[in-house]
Amino acid sequence: MSDEKPARRFAASALRGLVDGVGHDVSDRVRREIDAARSEGEARPAQRVAAAALGGVVGGVGQNVAALVRQELGAARTEAVGSARAAARGAGLLAVAAAAGNTAGLFVGIAIWRGLGNRIGFARSALVVAGLSATAAGVLASRGTAELARVKRMPTASHEKPAVDPEDDQTRAM
């Protein structure tokens, strides 16, 4: 997953910038508030001012974090929508290819039926073509069932086992 490194780098730099900004905001705000309180003649303004400044900065940090989370969610949504569109386009192309393959198979079957019909009769040649088609369907159904049996479940974390057993030699034989 090559997308994880840039995302981690972005998150680390955003967090670093947030921490640096908070430090500067706190110190600047505390200085301003203490200076303002002293100019008003207050004797010990530091504790009250520091608490007020820290509260304001924490509120600002919350807003900054919320903005970052909204941006990340927006980017993730945009990426997911793009992936879904590409998947839908690919599925549509595969469906059209399947229909074209089905039509080609039909005409090949008709050609075999006609070719054999001239030699052994059309009724017998129809049975031969039907038998060949049924055999092909049985083999494909058997392999498809075996392939689906290998699928266990979708992994939810990177440390879980993959959905398909990589040690299975049938996949390599294809």
Side-chain angles (χ1 to χ4, degrees), residues 23-95:
H24 293 298
D25 286 349
V26 168
S27 62
D28 291 345
R29 188 165 182 166
V30 167
R31 277 191 209 112
R32 282 193 310 264
E33 292 289 331
I34 289 175
D35 290 342
R38 282 189 182 148
S39 67
E40 292 173 5
E42 225 178 287
R44 301 186 75 195
Q47 288 180 339
R48 182 187 59 79
V49 170
L54 189 59
V57 169
V58 169
V61 168
Q63 291 173 351
N64 290 344
V65 169
L68 282 173
V69 168
R70 278 193 296 274
Q71 287 175 351
E72 286 300 315
L73 288 176
R77 185 183 72 226
T78 302
E79 184 178 338
V81 166
S83 294
R85 284 183 180 151
R89 200 175 8 229
L93 290 171
L94 285 174

